[in-house]
Amino acid sequence: MKVINLGAQNSVINRYMSQLRDVNVQGNRTLFRANLKRIAHVMAYELSRTLDYSPKNIQTPLAVKEVSTYDDRIVVGTVLRAGLAFHEGFLDVFDGADSAFVAAYREEGKREDLKIRLEYIASPHLEGSTFLMVDPMLATGGSLELAYKAFLSAGSPARLHICVVIASEEGVAHLQKVFPDDSVTLWTAAIDPELNDDAYIVPGLGDAGDLSFGPKISSKGKSV
């Protein structure tokens, strides 16, 4: 798996990342979601340079103009609910893309006892597609691996791009074992060094779903 860390070089993406991480800014949910979308816009642009292109004749009101556009059939898949704003940013750029969704989550608990649950999937046919698996946080990599395996029930994509905002070193190492082939690319805006005992990325930014949409209530009736 190839790893491309867009945050390793100075660019506007680091401005967006600084606001996502800042506890003094995170209370603005609209801005938090907007920054997820803006990072997706930058990442999608960079990813677009790797697609397959061919010239097409475009009819303008005055003449025909040859324009080189991509040929890939793109599907953008995400994990509910944290990935929704990030997902929407990719659709802004790839305006003809189809969408796929999966509900996969980890039960609350300590890192060594984590269990991943998968409850729902909705996907178009993926066979031969260029599949963008987008999710803001790559912690252990377990939920993303499970979600991708669930999506394979809709067919095997020709190319896989995994797009995240923050990855942990452990999560990157896990995916490199799952996807040893260089045909898979991981795109990220930051790689953080640690996971805490609850498997949250440190320094990270907290819970991307809660910061985007508000706190959720667990099945046991307490806020998590």
Side-chain angles (χ1 to χ4, degrees), residues 12 17 30 36 44 56 70 131 136 141 152 159 164 166 207 209:
V12 70
M17 288 296 299
T30 298
L36 289 177
K56 285 95 171 172
Y70 65 83
F131 187 42
L152 289 178
R159 293 182 183 175
V164 304
I166 301 177
D207 189 307

Side-chain angles (χ1 to χ4, degrees), residues 91-107:
L91 294 183
D92 287 344
V93 177
F94 298 117
D95 54 1
D98 290 328
S99 293
F101 301 95
V102 66
Y105 65 95
R106 63 189 191 188
E107 294 183 336

Side-chain angles (χ1 to χ4, degrees), residues 77-84 101-105 133-135 143-144 147:
T78 197
V79 179
L80 301 172
R81 67 180 169 150
L84 288 175
F101 301 95
V102 66
Y105 65 95
M133 184 88 178
V134 309
D135 195 15
S143 60
L144 192 146

Side-chain angles (χ1 to χ4, degrees), residues 147-180:
Y148 179 67
K149 288 179 178 178
F151 280 129
L152 289 178
S153 64
S156 298
R159 293 182 183 175
L160 173 62
H161 294 273
I162 301 169
C163 305
V164 304
V165 175
I166 301 177
S168 73
E169 292 182 357
E170 181 177 320
V172 173
H174 178 78
L175 291 188
Q176 285 175 322
K177 293 178 181 178
V178 175
F179 304 107

Side-chain angles (χ1 to χ4, degrees), residues 5-220:
N5 181 4
L6 297 177
Q9 297 180 352
N10 291 330
S11 77
V12 70
I13 206 169
N14 292 334
R15 167 71 173 176
Y16 308 149
M17 288 296 299
S18 70
Q19 293 180 344
L20 284 178
R21 293 185 190 266
D22 192 335
V23 294
N24 296 309
V25 180
Q26 288 182 340
N28 186 333
R29 292 179 192 163
T30 298
L31 180 58
F32 190 88
R33 293 192 301 269
N35 279 322
L36 289 177
K37 289 180 64 176
R38 293 197 290 185
I39 291 169
H41 293 165
V42 175
M43 195 171 288
Y45 169 78
E46 294 294 338
L47 189 156
S48 74
R49 299 166 67 183
T50 72
L51 303 178
D52 292 329
Y53 286 75
S54 66
K56 285 95 171 172
N57 289 328
I58 305 299
Q59 180 69 57
T60 82
L62 302 177
V64 174
K65 171 63 178 176
E66 185 178 274
V67 181
S68 184
T69 63
Y70 65 83
D71 301 314
D72 302 54
R73 182 175 67 86
I74 295 175
V75 179
V76 183
T78 197
V79 179
L80 301 172
R81 67 180 169 150
L84 288 175
F86 197 44
H87 177 270
E88 187 176 352
F90 281 91
L91 294 183
D92 287 344
V93 177
F94 298 117
D95 54 1
D98 290 328
S99 293
F101 301 95
V102 66
Y105 65 95
R106 63 189 191 188
E107 294 183 336
E108 295 298 316
K110 293 301 179 183
R111 180 173 169 182
E112 61 272 14
D113 300 321
L114 284 179
K115 295 180 180 179
I116 309 298
R117 301 293 184 185
L118 192 150
E119 294 187 342
Y120 168 86
I121 182 171
S123 176
H125 188 54
L126 296 180
E127 196 71 33
S129 69
T130 295
F131 187 42
L132 279 52
M133 184 88 178
V134 309
D135 195 15
M137 309 298 284
L138 172 62
T140 66
S143 60
L144 192 146
E145 177 187 2
L146 181 64
Y148 179 67
K149 288 179 178 178
F151 280 129
L152 289 178
S153 64
S156 298
R159 293 182 183 175
L160 173 62
H161 294 273
I162 301 169
C163 305
V164 304
V165 175
I166 301 177
S168 73
E169 292 182 357
E170 181 177 320
V172 173
H174 178 78
L175 291 188
Q176 285 175 322
K177 293 178 181 178
V178 175
F179 304 107
D181 196 297
D182 277 349
S183 63
V184 176
T185 303
L186 170 65
W187 301 80
T188 184
I191 299 177
D192 285 0
E194 300 178 38
L195 295 176
N196 65 15
D197 290 342
D198 295 316
Y200 283 94
I201 300 172
V202 179
L205 53 75
D207 189 307
D210 287 3
L211 290 167
S212 293
F213 304 109
K216 57 190 175 292
I217 302 299
S218 76
S219 60
K220 296 180 181 180

